[in-house]
Amino acid sequence: MTATTADPVAPVLTARAVLLDMDGTLVNSDAVVERCWQRWSARHGLDFDEVIKVVHGRQGYASMAVLLPERSMAENHAENREMLAAETADMEGVVPVPGAPAFLASLTDLRLPHALVTSADVPLSTGRMAAAGLALPDVRVTAESVGASKPDPEGFLKGAAALGFEPADCVVFEDSEAGIRAGQAAGMRVVGIGPRAAEFGPTVHVEDLTSVRVADAGDGSIRLTFG
């Protein structure tokens, strides 16, 4: 698979740290997400095809606020707790994105700075990574860690700070519009993963992680090669 870029130069990025979304980027959880949000859509009399366009990348309460703008945030947070419990209990069909095991192993084996930055909470992120057979990075920014959901950049900025790097030194891996917008708002370069990502202007776009190569550049930086 080849990488596409907004810039015609060779698809290579150099960074000091890598920030990784989970769902759609490392883990394919679409089957669970669609089951849970289909039930939610039916309960509220909403068109599921329109709902699913909103929910990827955001915390549940933030998606609900977009879809049911007349509701109070207290109701959204309460229903989001139910949604998180339902998603955490359902791991059927959760698998790694192609190339994710080798990609994560490269970062870990080379001891290159990286962090998970996800809209999932601790139980959900732990469960899905385990179901996909992926090791959790040592540094994690989850739903409990932030006050604002993607597309707000807070999560990525906290991830960069936790690793000890400036935003401009980080590269984000994301699949959703909300996540890509968050990375861009944080002042970071963004690698878009999968079909959802292509239309939102990532720095580099790839179909999955099989076409990403990771290397230690030898000067304290990470060399990412695409294609």
Side-chain angles (χ1 to χ4, degrees):
M1 296 185 180
T2 57
T4 59
T5 70
D7 188 332
V9 300
V12 175
L13 296 176
T14 302
R16 302 294 299 280
V18 172
L19 303 178
L20 307 166
D21 173 53
M22 183 181 71
D23 293 302
T25 300
L26 298 174
V27 173
N28 182 343
S29 56
D30 283 359
V32 180
V33 171
E34 290 174 8
R35 281 195 295 272
C36 290
W37 283 97
Q38 196 155 33
R39 291 194 296 267
W40 186 89
S41 301
R43 187 186 315 149
H44 293 284
L46 298 176
D47 182 346
F48 171 72
D49 290 337
E50 295 305 311
V51 168
I52 203 65
K53 293 176 184 177
V54 172
V55 303
H56 290 295
R58 290 182 171 88
Q59 291 191 44
Y61 76 85
S63 297
M64 294 169 189
V66 172
L67 294 162
L68 296 174
E70 73 285 354
R71 283 212 319 188
S72 71
M73 287 307 296
E75 291 176 283
N76 293 334
H77 280 287
E79 201 163 42
N80 184 49
R81 288 191 288 272
E82 297 175 6
M83 178 70 74
L84 285 169
E87 289 186 287
T88 303
D90 184 357
M91 294 293 160
E92 185 177 352
V94 173
V95 295
V97 166
F103 174 68
L104 270 179
S106 294
L107 290 169
T108 302
D109 293 346
L110 293 171
R111 298 184 179 181
L112 300 174
H114 62 287
L116 188 72
V117 181
T118 176
S119 293
D121 63 4
V122 169
L124 182 57
S125 59
T126 302
R128 282 187 178 164
M129 291 288 281
L134 299 174
L136 280 165
D138 291 337
V139 178
R140 300 182 290 276
V141 178
T142 61
E144 297 93 337
S145 309
V146 297
S149 170
K150 300 171 186 176
D152 190 284
E154 181 185 2
F156 288 124
L157 292 172
K158 284 192 170 182
L163 291 172
F165 296 102
E166 294 297 319
D169 291 327
C170 299
V171 168
V172 165
F173 282 70
E174 264 286 0
D175 73 299
S176 68
E177 179 181 10
I180 291 170
R181 299 291 183 236
Q184 292 167 337
M188 301 174 183
R189 291 158 294 162
V190 181
V191 177
I193 307 295
R196 283 193 290 267
E199 63 183 290
F200 303 116
T203 312
V204 175
H205 174 253
V206 292
E207 289 303 316
D208 56 38
L209 293 167
T210 59
S211 61
V212 183
R213 299 291 177 267
V214 179
D216 185 340
D219 59 356
S221 63
I222 303 165
R223 181 178 172 86
L224 300 165
T225 307
F226 306 90

